[in-house]
Amino acid sequence: MVYDVIVIGAGAAGCFFAINYKEKHPDASVLILEKSNKPLAKLKISGGGRCNVTHACFDPRELVKYYPRGQKELMGPFNSFQPGDTIAWFAERGVELKIEEDGRMFPTTDSSQTIIDTFLGELEAKEVKVYYSCGVDAINYSEEDVHLDCGEQSFKARNVFLATGGTPSMWNVLNNMGIDVVDPVPALFTFNIASKIISDLPGVSCPNTRVKIMGTKLEEFGPTLITHWGLSGPGILKLSSVAAILLHAEKYKFKIEVNWNTDFEFQDVIEVFKNQKELRPKQKVWPNPLVEMPKRLWKNLCAVSGISEESNYADINKKQIVALANLCTNCSFDVNGKSTNKDEFVSAGGVELKQVDFKRMNLKLFPRIYLAGEVLNIDALTGGFNFQNAWTGAWIASQNME
């Protein structure tokens, strides 16, 4: 039998594609091949088990900024299918999404099982077959059909949709076909730091920081969390994503500078100190931060600057003021290693984007092979953006595959 479409991968992009393709072509024969023994495993753990479906960013020009790799290529696709369309798609199937304060969107049930049940129910209703424990070892492309070698089994299809995510085995298959693949590197990770400034402060968070990678122009803004092993939080994760390839090349040994509160720069702190020495000279320094930040962090910065616990503002000399101002606004750390972001591992790498027609989401060399999601060299920051890339690419492919 020659199927109209074979989908490789029963993940988010694969299921979304199959459902939309069958809606447009209800009589088509569609088969999904899944290497594991169950579908949608990564979706189930996403968002801490709640499934961060998308993000409430509805302007494609702003949306692409959340993708360190793929900004230019995604502009057109996001003008065709963006988070507003995702919300409508799920609403049509009885799944309501809610917006949280940071823009992330989850099902109102706060359960990823809601999304899984929706997908599986749609696949069953549309009579889409799923074969589990069936990995693809090779793809042979011809003018007549696409032949899939699955070990003891083989399948043929007119078209193939790849939704295998960041799976090295599929990248190897594509490499053997002559498709260039960018080697994967971790794209979301925390920074390992051993420093007396933060060693006793796990759990302390600063909401308004700037983190720079020294010796580069790379910097990011946002909340930073002090952990048992170093620094984490949205600002750090965003920077790790933007600098993923560079930091991999540096073997994750580099230097950063942190401004703990971007409302203040170096000279601002100097001026505030001068005013405080004049207005409240007898006030103790440690209990009364001049720069808004957690008191425990302020105390540590004071101690490293040579300011004792008993010091009043009148006691502080120029050298100590300069040292503290530097620590508040340009606090330097040596980073020595990384830690992965929980279970939701994201990598930079995948199919080289120049080989893809983003108007149709197919390979230029093999036009009847379509693909979307993390199999491409596209990755995003946390917040629902990787799923939105999957929905968008899968939808475009479903509408353009004949």
Side-chain angles (χ1 to χ4, degrees):
M1 174 181 180
V2 179
Y3 288 91
D4 291 307
V5 184
I6 292 180
V7 179
I8 305 177
C15 291
F16 197 76
F17 165 84
I19 294 165
N20 285 291
Y21 182 83
K22 281 288 284 185
E23 285 194 346
K24 188 172 183 181
H25 305 277
D27 297 326
S29 55
V30 179
L31 172 66
I32 299 178
L33 302 179
E34 170 56 38
K35 188 174 184 178
S36 72
N37 59 7
K38 57 184 178 180
L40 300 162
K42 188 171 182 180
L43 188 150
K44 186 173 182 62
I45 64 171
S46 69
R50 296 196 296 147
C51 188
N52 188 179
V53 175
T54 187
H55 196 95
C57 180
F58 306 111
D59 182 349
R61 293 169 298 182
E62 293 301 313
L63 187 57
V64 295
K65 294 178 181 178
Y66 292 93
Y67 297 81
R69 281 150 290 277
Q71 287 191 16
K72 180 180 69 174
E73 291 81 4
L74 288 174
M75 179 62 78
F78 283 153
N79 274 288
S80 297
F81 194 92
Q82 50 106 314
D85 300 300
T86 300
I87 296 167
W89 192 92
F90 281 101
E92 288 170 5
R93 290 154 180 83
V95 178
E96 298 298 324
L97 304 179
K98 61 179 180 178
I99 304 174
E100 301 201 338
E101 288 185 8
D102 58 3
R104 294 181 301 161
M105 299 195 69
F106 296 87
T108 55
T109 60
D110 279 329
S111 174
S112 58
Q113 195 62 44
T114 300
I115 308 301
I116 293 172
D117 291 344
T118 299
F119 282 165
L120 296 183
E122 288 276 319
L123 292 175
E124 183 178 2
K126 291 175 169 54
E127 298 181 336
V128 175
K129 297 180 181 179
V130 183
Y131 287 179
Y132 297 107
S133 302
C134 187
V136 176
D137 299 324
I139 299 175
N140 297 294
Y141 188 95
S142 72
E143 293 299 322
E144 293 77 28
D145 54 46
V146 185
H147 182 98
L148 304 180
D149 181 0
C150 304
E152 296 180 357
Q153 300 182 82
S154 63
F155 301 89
K156 291 183 180 180
R158 290 177 55 247
N159 298 287
V160 167
F161 180 74
L162 296 179
T164 50
T167 306
S169 59
M170 180 50 61
W171 286 331
N172 290 335
V173 169
L174 293 172
N175 247 328
N176 291 335
M177 297 172 65
I179 300 298
D180 293 331
V181 174
V182 178
D183 290 337
V185 299
L188 283 177
F189 49 86
T190 60
F191 296 170
N192 293 352
I193 297 169
S195 168
K196 61 182 178 181
I197 295 175
I198 59 173
S199 61
D200 62 341
L201 301 178
V204 169
S205 178
C206 293
N208 189 27
T209 68
R210 178 183 67 235
V211 184
K212 294 181 179 180
I213 296 177
M214 295 173 68
T216 77
K217 295 181 179 180
L218 298 175
E219 64 179 19
E220 289 297 340
F221 299 81
T224 292
L225 171 68
I226 299 173
T227 69
H228 288 285
W229 57 87
L231 294 179
S232 184
I236 296 293
L237 293 174
K238 187 175 181 181
L239 186 59
S240 77
S241 184
V242 171
I245 295 173
L246 169 67
L247 300 184
H248 177 75
E250 295 293 328
K251 299 181 179 179
Y252 306 103
K253 294 183 179 181
F254 55 99
K255 294 180 180 292
I256 61 170
E257 282 185 350
V258 180
N259 181 328
W260 296 106
N261 184 341
T262 55
D263 290 337
F264 294 84
E265 295 298 340
F266 175 81
Q267 198 57 44
D268 299 323
V269 180
I270 297 294
E271 293 301 319
V272 169
F273 253 96
K274 288 180 179 178
N275 293 336
Q276 191 75 351
K277 284 171 71 71
E278 293 178 3
L279 297 174
R280 298 177 183 85
K282 298 300 181 182
Q283 189 176 63
K284 290 190 178 297
V285 180
W286 279 31
N288 300 285
L290 295 184
V291 177
E292 187 176 345
M293 65 176 67
K295 284 188 176 181
R296 290 170 61 199
L297 174 59
W298 170 261
K299 290 177 181 179
N300 280 10
L301 298 183
C302 288
V304 174
S305 303
I307 299 171
S308 71
E309 187 174 359
E310 300 303 319
S311 296
N312 298 324
Y313 277 100
D315 302 326
I316 308 306
N317 60 42
K318 183 178 180 180
K319 182 179 179 181
Q320 292 169 325
I321 293 174
V322 169
L324 184 54
N326 265 317
L327 288 172
C328 288
T329 59
N330 301 290
C331 192
S332 64
F333 295 103
D334 291 318
V335 179
N336 186 17
K338 61 174 178 56
S339 298
T340 346
N341 182 36
K342 298 182 181 178
D343 297 318
E344 299 173 51
F345 181 79
V346 175
S347 63
V351 173
E352 171 60 58
L353 302 185
K354 292 180 181 179
Q355 299 176 117
V356 179
D357 178 356
F358 279 85
K359 292 181 180 179
R360 296 172 56 82
M361 297 306 298
N362 60 345
L363 290 171
K364 294 175 182 177
L365 285 176
F366 305 103
R368 284 187 286 108
I369 297 179
Y370 295 70
L371 64 177
E374 292 180 38
V375 68
L376 296 165
N377 185 27
I378 293 176
D379 59 282
L381 309 181
T382 55
F385 302 106
N386 280 302
F387 274 138
Q388 184 58 52
N389 172 43
W391 313 140
T392 295
W395 187 85
I396 291 173
S398 73
Q399 302 305 298
N400 287 282
M401 185 184 291
E402 297 177 357

